[in-house]
Amino acid sequence: MKVSYKWLSEYVDVTGHTAEQLAEMLTRSGIEVDVVENRNKGVSNVVTGYVKSCEKHPDADKLNVCIVDAGQGEDLQIVCGAKNVAAGQKVPVALVGAQLPGGLEIKRAKLRGLESQGMICSAKELGLNDKLLPKEIQEGILVLPEQTEIGSSILEVLAIDDQVLELDLTPNRSDALSMLGVAYEIAAILGRSVQLPDAEAALQSADTAGATRAADRISVSIAAAEQCSRYAARLIEGVHIGPAPLWMQNRLMAAGIRPINNIVDITNFVMLEYGQPLHAFDADRLQGGHIEVRLAKPGETLVTLDDVERTLEPHMLLITDGSKPVGLAGVMGGANSEVSGGTTRILLESARFAGSSVRKTSRQLGLRSEASLRFEKEVNPEAVLPALNRAAALMAEYAGGQVASGIVEAVASEQEPVSINLSLTRVNAYLGTELTLAQVRETLDRLHFAYDPAPESSLRVHVPSRRGDITRDVDLIEEVARLFGYDNIPTTLMSGVTTPGSLTKEQAIRRAVRALLTQSGLHEVITYAFTQPGQTSDFAGLYPSAKPIALAMPMSEERSTLRTSLLPHLLDVVSYNRNRNMDDVAIFEIGKVFVTEEESLNQLPEEKLLLAIVLTGKRRQAHWALKAESVDFYDVKGIFERLTSYLGIEGLTYNAAQTDGFHPGRTAELFLDTGKGRKRIGTIGQLHPALQQRRDLDDTYALEVELAPILAAANASIAYKLLPRFPAIGRDLAVVVDQSAAVDHMQDVIAKIAGDLLESLQVFDIYTGERLGASKKSVAFALLYRHPDRTLLDEEVTELHGKVVQALEERFEAELRK
């Protein structure tokens, strides 16, 4: 939104504050101002001149010699090369000594022997955006209206002694998409009043004597109440199409809008003023002067004002004359009802269209306009009639029209007024302030919000319809904070109960799984959750009865279905690497698959979190002392068992299985004892040879498991013990026993007899030979004794060790080896 400083000053007194100061105040109060642009690009000493005569230069075919009255007491002779200069024109004249943009200084000069006492300027030479002007003006000098006073400063005539504030609005502040909305904001900041245009008085002063009743000539109906809640129209007859007054054109150009003609310019001017988009139809091109608001019919078309034929869809809202479309509601009018040079009767539209409907139509057709921008953000419903009356009054004044009495309108629904209870206690609690109720009331007065007293230091605030962003008391509290000044709010420490941040059990375990797999030499990959329908057929996966889920609006055919297995995309990663001479691949992914058994999806699919691992290539490269080794089934199995061991998971079993996509003799299903029975949680094995051949892969091994049961069974607690403070005593023990004696049974006996003082027990040698006899073996144990609270005595260890030897002798007929 571009806001002219001079235009703004017509609605609110900004005396004593520069445009830069207002920009700073607006930014500090919550509406950011990107830039303040000075419309004067360096123009000085340029006045309005009257071309009294214009003759060809005697020595140059492309030059003209003009005699110009510039209000300087004597006429000036100016040599001009513009093609469109002519006698009788009012033009901008840069006098000798004048400054123009770019540092150009005008001096006396001789052109082909004739003296030139100044320069007749074009819009571009004055630093104006000539792209906003008609093409014929872009290419020549700027011709001013006939009523322009000779000798007047061009800065005032073209209103370029002005500054423009460019607002960067957030979506909720649609009220600031109008000059009056910005005026209310500035008035609230400065504590001043707002001067509104008096459209009713202007209409009453217009010559309406003998005017016809609008209801006798035009009619309005709404057939799409959800998309259009109100539609109002006025009839203006006897208009004369021509240029808008220069002051209005200047206002539009300051806002970045190109002037077209008085009728169109008035609708744009009032849209900028009130924020309410308007549209003018040529009433004579409407069948029976009727307007019907309805949704488009399938296959219906409309040629819009940009001369492009649009094919419409049933959700698009149209303005029709009962038989044909004449406009896209809130977006753009139709060429078949466009105001042209021969138009004499105007049907003026002011309506409230649903923002969602306008937004959808605008985006789908690629049509963005100032009107659609405002409708998308929901215009002020109470501005519909004031804006309509204001534009009608301006058309009576500047287009010579006669306004038919009365407004013709259709109302489908009225917006309920918003009233909110505002508690002083909540205001201070939220802001950390100690404001009084009087201070809050003062803020509401500055905002021009009406209110009534309410019990317990609170107010019943009636929010004006222009502020559609305010729906709750916290919105009002924000308004209080903005105008009180964020810098004035004291800094206070936060209070309340705090909890330290931490990971959930599932998060901690997932992080541990990633770390462990990475430490095992695997690389984590992240693949698309979308796949192509054919890929799901390679693997039945963990959910063989799952139905593929098609996306409503896929990015491409390759990404048109939700995956039911992680493995297909992991194999794509393997192929990608092999195609780049990376044959040894070890990867894993933790991701979700989407499972449903419904043919037609009536509810959201179930999301399952899976872990998948794929290994292929060499486990170890060739070395001078070692041969290269390829990965096999036990590499995947070992990685997974290391993971489950680390997580403290027990009760894991393997059953040989035949599964789609896997080798029939090298595949197993994984089962986990959950305490409620065995649950199948995954598949591990080699890929089927046919699949490997189709994908041009070497022997490849894969694992896919469901993580939910693993996360539930995992033990996330950390067991630890203190480091020993006292020395240990070691004893070795070698005994000869029958070969049938089980070593683990012998270890159990030793541990039982030694008790808590035994810290560790290891078998470090088993020997058989002729010296022992054919049925004997020697087993050697290393025992380590330690007391946690004191130093052990050698005597007590010797006594305990003797009991261990005695127990072995009694239980296994063991003999100490000598």
Side-chain angles (χ1 to χ4, degrees):
M1 176 68 182
K2 294 184 176 181
V3 177
S4 161
Y5 178 80
K6 293 189 70 173
W7 190 2
L8 181 66
S9 66
E10 295 180 4
Y11 307 114
V12 61
D13 181 11
V14 293
T15 305
H17 300 279
T18 65
E20 288 79 7
Q21 290 172 336
L22 291 184
E24 177 69 15
M25 293 176 184
L26 280 170
T27 300
R28 284 184 173 275
S29 67
I31 295 181
E32 183 178 358
V33 179
D34 280 344
V35 66
V36 178
E37 180 186 4
N38 197 332
R39 294 198 70 203
N40 186 351
K41 305 301 182 182
V43 176
S44 66
N45 207 19
V46 180
V47 298
T48 302
Y50 174 71
V51 181
K52 301 176 72 173
S53 66
C54 179
E55 298 179 356
K56 288 291 183 182
H57 192 292
D59 296 325
D61 294 338
K62 294 185 178 180
L63 296 179
N64 300 298
V65 180
C66 302
I67 303 301
V68 180
D69 177 7
Q72 304 302 303
E74 60 180 19
D75 294 341
L76 305 176
Q77 177 178 285
I78 298 177
V79 179
C80 178
K83 295 180 181 180
N84 66 325
V85 67
Q89 293 176 335
K90 298 282 183 72
V91 293
V93 177
L95 303 175
V96 174
Q99 297 285 336
L100 295 180
L104 177 63
E105 182 179 353
I106 304 301
K107 301 178 180 179
R108 290 180 183 271
K110 280 193 175 183
L111 298 176
R112 293 293 183 95
L114 292 181
E115 185 180 32
S116 182
Q117 300 171 313
M119 174 178 162
I120 301 176
C121 303
S122 67
K124 189 173 185 179
E125 289 165 338
L126 294 173
L128 298 178
N129 184 356
D130 59 332
K131 301 301 181 184
L132 297 176
L133 298 172
K135 188 175 181 180
E136 59 272 15
I137 297 180
Q138 294 179 26
E139 298 173 350
I141 61 167
L142 178 61
V143 180
L144 303 173
E146 294 181 3
Q147 62 271 26
T148 309
E149 183 180 349
I150 296 173
S152 56
S153 171
I154 205 68
L155 298 179
E156 297 179 1
V157 172
L158 297 179
I160 57 178
D161 56 338
D162 190 13
Q163 292 173 293
V164 176
L165 290 71
E166 188 166 345
L167 310 185
D168 185 8
L169 298 175
T170 51
N172 63 313
R173 290 307 301 271
S174 60
D175 61 300
L177 285 170
S178 67
M179 292 300 300
L180 289 176
V182 177
Y184 273 112
E185 185 71 14
I186 292 294
I189 294 171
L190 300 180
R192 298 178 181 177
S193 60
V194 177
Q195 182 64 42
L196 300 177
D198 194 344
E200 295 292 341
L203 275 176
Q204 292 174 6
S205 63
D207 183 15
T208 57
T212 56
R213 292 177 64 251
D216 295 337
R217 302 291 180 89
I218 60 175
S219 58
V220 170
S221 64
I222 298 175
E226 291 185 7
Q227 292 78 17
C228 177
S229 58
R230 186 170 198 169
Y231 192 98
R234 295 205 76 137
L235 179 66
I236 302 96
E237 299 180 305
V239 299
H240 301 282
I241 306 300
L246 186 59
W247 67 265
M248 186 178 292
Q249 294 185 46
N250 291 336
R251 295 283 187 262
L252 295 178
M253 286 190 289
I257 294 179
R258 180 170 65 90
I260 298 175
N261 59 49
N262 50 1
I263 299 300
V264 176
D265 291 355
I266 286 170
T267 60
N268 285 332
F269 175 82
V270 175
M271 176 188 68
L272 293 174
E273 187 175 50
Y274 281 86
Q276 169 64 45
L278 306 170
H279 187 70
F281 297 99
D282 186 331
D284 291 326
R285 301 173 74 175
L286 302 175
Q287 184 174 354
H290 178 64
I291 288 291
E292 181 185 13
V293 185
R294 63 167 173 82
L295 294 175
K297 300 173 183 177
E300 203 165 11
T301 61
L302 172 66
V303 178
T304 48
L305 289 173
D306 55 0
D307 293 325
V308 176
E309 185 177 53
R310 313 280 179 178
T311 301
L312 310 176
E313 295 190 10
H315 67 80
M316 297 180 179
L317 188 64
L318 294 182
I319 310 299
T320 74
D321 64 0
S323 61
K324 65 180 183 298
V326 294
L328 275 171
V331 181
M332 187 175 287
N336 57 4
S337 59
E338 181 182 6
V339 173
S340 62
T343 298
T344 59
R345 299 172 69 243
I346 297 293
L347 188 149
L348 185 61
E349 164 196 286
S350 182
R352 185 162 190 257
F353 303 120
S356 57
S357 173
V358 174
R359 184 183 304 109
K360 189 173 182 180
T361 300
S362 174
R363 288 185 178 179
Q364 187 165 342
L365 296 179
L367 278 175
R368 299 287 293 173
S369 64
E370 291 289 336
S372 67
L373 170 68
R374 285 163 174 80
F375 277 122
E376 286 176 10
K377 294 177 172 33
E378 300 291 351
V379 296
N380 177 8
E382 292 185 4
V384 172
L385 296 185
L388 180 64
N389 292 333
R390 170 73 161 156
L394 291 173
M395 288 181 185
E397 183 175 358
Y398 295 108
Q402 189 176 42
V403 182
S405 62
I407 295 174
V408 179
E409 66 176 328
V411 179
S413 62
E414 294 279 7
Q415 178 165 315
E416 294 294 327
V418 176
S419 295
I420 303 170
N421 284 328
L422 180 63
S423 166
L424 180 63
T425 302
R426 279 174 63 82
V427 172
N428 287 323
Y430 269 86
L431 303 183
T433 56
E434 295 181 0
L435 298 175
T436 65
L437 194 60
Q439 288 175 299
V440 174
R441 286 200 302 264
E442 179 191 359
T443 300
L444 297 175
D445 290 336
R446 290 164 59 187
L447 287 165
H448 295 81
F449 286 9
Y451 56 86
D452 300 320
E456 298 180 358
S457 297
S458 60
L459 299 169
R460 182 69 174 171
V461 182
H462 308 292
V463 181
S465 60
R466 59 185 167 82
R467 292 299 303 273
D469 59 309
I470 298 179
T471 58
R472 303 171 299 166
D473 64 341
V474 289
D475 299 325
L476 288 173
I477 293 172
E478 182 182 3
E479 295 299 298
V480 173
R482 290 195 311 112
L483 295 182
F484 180 67
Y486 294 122
D487 292 341
N488 297 324
I489 296 176
T491 301
T492 56
L493 292 175
M494 293 185 295
S495 61
V497 178
T498 60
T499 56
S502 63
L503 299 176
T504 65
K505 176 186 174 183
E506 290 75 12
Q507 290 172 331
I509 294 174
R510 286 172 63 176
R511 182 172 293 185
V513 168
R514 283 187 169 91
L516 192 72
L517 293 177
T518 303
Q519 293 166 10
S520 300
L522 277 67
H523 295 277
E524 182 177 10
V525 300
I526 300 175
T527 62
Y528 278 100
F530 309 142
T531 186
Q532 57 186 1
Q535 252 186 347
T536 59
S537 63
D538 285 342
F539 294 94
L542 302 179
Y543 315 103
S545 60
K547 302 294 188 296
I549 304 167
L551 300 180
M553 298 178 65
M555 296 183 291
S556 64
E557 180 63 26
E558 293 181 349
R559 302 282 181 260
S560 61
T561 306
L562 290 175
R563 66 187 177 188
T564 57
S565 172
L566 301 181
L567 290 178
H569 282 314
L570 290 187
L571 296 184
D572 291 341
V573 174
V574 173
S575 297
Y576 181 90
N577 281 271
R578 285 178 56 83
N579 292 338
R580 287 155 181 79
N581 297 321
M582 297 289 292
D583 294 333
D584 304 331
V585 181
I587 56 176
F588 75 94
E589 180 176 11
I590 297 174
K592 290 183 178 180
V593 298
F594 305 87
V595 180
T596 182
E597 296 184 3
E598 296 183 358
E599 291 290 348
S600 57
L601 195 62
N602 297 319
Q603 60 183 8
L604 291 176
E606 189 176 0
E607 298 183 19
K608 301 283 190 178
L609 186 66
L610 303 186
L611 164 66
I613 297 175
V614 173
L615 301 182
T616 187
K618 300 289 189 296
R619 176 197 312 124
R620 181 178 66 200
Q621 297 297 328
H623 186 262
W624 67 269
L626 299 170
K627 295 182 179 180
E629 293 182 356
S630 298
V631 296
D632 58 22
F633 174 89
Y634 295 101
D635 288 294
V636 184
K637 181 173 180 287
I639 291 172
F640 183 64
E641 288 182 344
R642 180 187 177 200
L643 174 64
T644 55
S645 174
Y646 178 81
L647 297 177
I649 294 175
E650 299 177 353
L652 191 67
T653 56
Y654 301 82
N655 282 7
Q658 293 187 5
T659 305
D660 289 348
F662 285 89
H663 194 297
R666 301 177 183 175
T667 302
E669 291 180 337
L670 283 78
F671 290 86
L672 179 65
D673 187 356
T674 64
K676 299 180 180 179
R678 295 170 71 244
K679 175 180 174 60
R680 177 175 175 264
I681 63 168
T683 305
I684 182 173
Q686 182 183 343
L687 297 189
H688 196 284
L691 178 59
Q692 291 180 167
Q693 184 177 9
R694 187 166 71 249
R695 285 184 171 262
D696 191 24
L697 300 176
D698 293 336
D699 286 353
T700 301
Y701 299 87
L703 161 80
E704 187 173 54
V705 295
E706 187 176 331
L707 276 182
I710 292 177
L711 297 177
N715 183 2
S717 61
I718 300 174
Y720 69 95
K721 59 182 178 180
L722 294 175
L723 292 174
R725 297 173 55 195
F726 300 96
I729 296 178
R731 293 282 191 272
D732 290 343
L733 172 64
V735 293
V736 178
V737 294
D738 291 338
Q739 285 195 357
S740 61
V743 175
D744 58 341
H745 291 171
M746 296 172 68
Q747 287 179 300
D748 292 340
V749 170
I750 294 172
K752 181 177 179 181
I753 299 301
D756 295 338
L757 293 182
L758 181 66
E759 184 175 278
S760 68
L761 171 65
Q762 289 184 333
V763 177
F764 67 87
D765 183 51
I766 297 179
Y767 170 75
T768 58
E770 294 180 358
R771 291 177 57 191
L772 299 178
S775 61
K776 298 291 184 178
K777 65 181 176 181
S778 172
V779 182
F781 300 94
L783 293 78
L784 193 67
Y785 298 96
R786 191 194 308 266
H787 197 288
D789 300 325
R790 61 180 176 85
T791 300
L792 285 173
L793 298 177
D794 188 67
E795 293 79 4
E796 59 184 319
V797 172
T798 300
E799 181 182 355
L800 182 60
H801 193 69
K803 293 179 179 179
V804 170
V805 174
Q806 183 180 355
L808 293 176
E809 292 174 347
E810 292 175 355
R811 181 71 181 273
F812 300 99
E813 298 181 355
E815 296 178 3
L816 284 175
R817 185 177 175 186
K818 300 177 182 178

